[in-house]
Amino acid sequence: EAAEDTVGIQCMESARARLCQCGLRGHAGGNLVLQDSAEARATECAVAESAWAGVVLQGGSQAALRRCAVVGNNTGLLAMEDAAWCAESSAFQDSRGVGVMAAGASRGTFSHNNCVGNGGVGLVARGAAEVAVLHNRVSGNAGDGMVVDDSSRAVIAGNCSYDNAGGALHLGGTCHADLVGNVLGSGTGAGTAGVASRI
């Protein structure tokens, strides 16, 4: 088991890393932590059971995740400040809190993923974050499926969000969201399971 305050892989300054079929597990300080202008590409990696976050992006760091399993962390992915990220064909599930959190002025693309069974909201965009949320399944989360709040901006297209304990999608603050071709089903908290709308 990893020590309580360890980091799995930490990339700082202008470091570059490519990870393929790696397992990062149980690091309380984050399993993959990128800071400054660091960049990382992860393919077919398992990122699991961090007491903080599976993937942490700070500063102007950049990350690309493809076919990864981000499972059982406190937060699956946490993007802050000016970070840029994309996640494709991956699983973000069973986090104790939020599956994916985009905050600050971060920019991200979340496409063709499963965001399921998290202990809070599936995906959150807050602050001045910009996200494109495309063709994902967002289901079985203990909060809302997706939340876009504050002054964040989002393109939300082709997603299926259903059976979340809260709503399928929550828009708040002064956010701006473009919604195209989503199927939004009622959550268990809505008391009307099986009802869906397409927007």
Side-chain angles (χ1 to χ4, degrees):
E1 288 297 315
E4 287 187 2
D5 58 352
T6 60
V7 171
I9 296 176
Q10 182 177 28
C11 298
M12 302 175 66
E13 298 175 350
S14 297
R16 305 286 184 270
R18 289 188 179 181
L19 294 77
C20 185
Q21 299 180 342
C22 295
L24 299 169
R25 182 185 186 100
H27 298 277
N31 287 318
L32 175 60
V33 178
L34 306 180
Q35 298 169 308
D36 306 320
S37 298
E39 296 182 13
R41 293 181 176 271
T43 304
E44 297 179 355
C45 293
V47 184
E49 298 180 10
S50 171
W52 182 26
V55 179
V56 180
L57 304 171
Q58 297 172 301
S61 61
Q62 299 181 42
L65 284 71
R66 191 160 188 263
R67 298 194 303 272
C68 291
V70 184
V71 179
N73 302 284
N74 191 55
T75 299
L77 182 146
L78 174 60
M80 300 177 280
E81 299 167 352
D82 296 315
W85 59 277
C86 65
E88 178 185 359
S89 303
S90 296
F92 291 80
Q93 66 188 58
D94 299 332
S95 292
R96 291 179 293 280
V98 173
V100 175
M101 169 69 79
S106 62
R107 303 168 316 283
T109 300
F110 192 71
S111 67
H112 297 91
N113 301 292
N114 285 322
C115 187
V116 299
N118 296 292
V121 175
L123 181 143
V124 179
R126 288 219 161 109
E130 296 184 8
V131 294
V133 183
L134 311 171
H135 307 291
N136 302 285
R137 180 168 73 99
V138 183
S139 179
N141 298 292
D144 293 321
M146 298 175 281
V147 171
V148 181
D149 211 345
D150 300 329
S151 60
S152 56
R153 300 178 65 86
V155 174
I156 300 174
N159 302 283
C160 291
S161 180
Y162 60 94
D163 287 345
N164 300 289
L169 172 63
H170 173 87
L171 304 177
T174 58
C175 75
H176 179 89
D178 294 323
L179 310 174
V180 180
N182 300 285
V183 175
L184 306 178
S186 60
T188 56
T192 54
V195 177
S197 61
R198 178 179 288 275
I199 60 174

